[in-house]
Amino acid sequence: MDCFDAIFLATGNSYASLHFEFLLGTSTIGGIIRSTCHLIWMNLKEMVMPQPTPEDWLRIADGFQDSAQFPNCIGALDGKHIRVKKPAKSGSRFYNYKQYFSVVFLALAASNYRFVSVDIGAYGSTADAGIFKGSRMGERLQNNQLSLPEARPFRTTGPIRHCGRRRVWTLPASDAPFPTALIGHPQACI
């Protein structure tokens, strides 16, 4: 890692300030920082965000049952808009309903607030459900590749689910949606 990579990651200095400090072009700095971040992610992702096993999913569901009395929930899903400058020639793809340009950070979190899965960089104009559907996790869910436990009773009856701010997605092999009265409950989703 070059020393300006460490400075950028530690301080968040702009590419322009790093350009003046190290006498490198901003596009060169951007390319090096992107490569460095990619290498960090590739080397640490299995340690900091491993693919959950069926036992992990059950532990997550137990956490939601214990902390929020929300049975069989394997994660809370939500997106966060991160403000960006309008990318060149992007049209309105990054323009969101909040009236600014953004990329979306979408995360599935366990009841202890730890990330289970993340998707970063979707267009700001795209809704959370569309981002989730097109994400790697959404695709793996559709293809039944998430190592989810069998739909079976544990602590309470019903299929295993995960929830978002306005919607509860029922996972494969389920029979009925969760009662909508709980969706608006303040402790339904953490």
Side-chain angles (χ1 to χ4, degrees):
M1 182 181 329
D2 296 312
C3 111
F4 64 83
D5 288 357
I7 290 171
F8 175 79
L9 293 172
T11 66
N13 281 358
S14 68
Y15 290 2
S17 69
L18 294 172
H19 157 73
F20 288 114
E21 190 170 344
F22 294 97
L23 302 176
L24 291 169
T26 54
S27 60
T28 302
I29 290 170
I32 293 170
I33 290 172
R34 268 190 300 281
S35 296
T36 302
C37 289
H38 178 73
L39 287 170
I40 290 170
W41 174 248
M42 294 309 292
N43 286 295
L44 296 179
K45 71 179 178 181
E46 290 303 318
M47 184 186 328
V48 296
M49 201 172 296
Q51 174 63 40
T53 64
E55 295 77 26
D56 294 331
W57 291 119
L58 290 172
R59 259 192 307 280
I60 291 168
D62 288 344
F64 276 103
Q65 175 65 41
D66 295 341
S67 66
Q69 293 73 51
F70 197 76
N72 299 347
C73 179
I74 60 166
L77 181 72
D78 200 8
K80 172 71 177 155
H81 287 269
I82 301 166
R83 190 180 298 258
V84 297
K85 288 183 182 177
K86 181 183 185 281
K89 300 179 183 177
S90 64
S92 61
R93 289 181 291 193
F94 290 91
Y95 197 71
N96 66 34
Y97 69 95
K98 296 180 178 188
Q99 311 300 313
Y100 61 85
F101 293 94
S102 66
V103 294
V104 179
F105 172 79
L106 187 73
L108 180 70
S111 65
N112 60 1
Y113 309 107
R114 292 192 178 185
F115 293 136
V116 176
S117 180
V118 297
D119 185 86
I120 304 167
Y123 298 134
S125 61
T126 310
D128 291 352
I131 295 168
F132 178 74
K133 186 176 180 181
S135 71
R136 179 178 160 101
M137 183 175 182
E139 290 172 2
R140 294 185 75 203
L141 174 64
Q142 291 294 328
N143 297 325
N144 201 21
Q145 298 172 335
L146 285 180
S147 302
L148 294 174
E150 292 292 319
R152 61 182 173 160
F154 63 102
R155 288 185 134 192
T156 62
T157 59
I160 296 173
R161 302 168 169 26
H162 75 280
C163 61
R165 185 175 353 135
R166 292 184 184 94
R167 181 174 174 189
V168 174
W169 285 276
T170 303
L171 301 181
S174 63
D175 50 0
F178 201 77
T180 54
L182 284 180
I183 295 173
H185 191 275
Q187 292 187 355
C189 298
I190 304 285

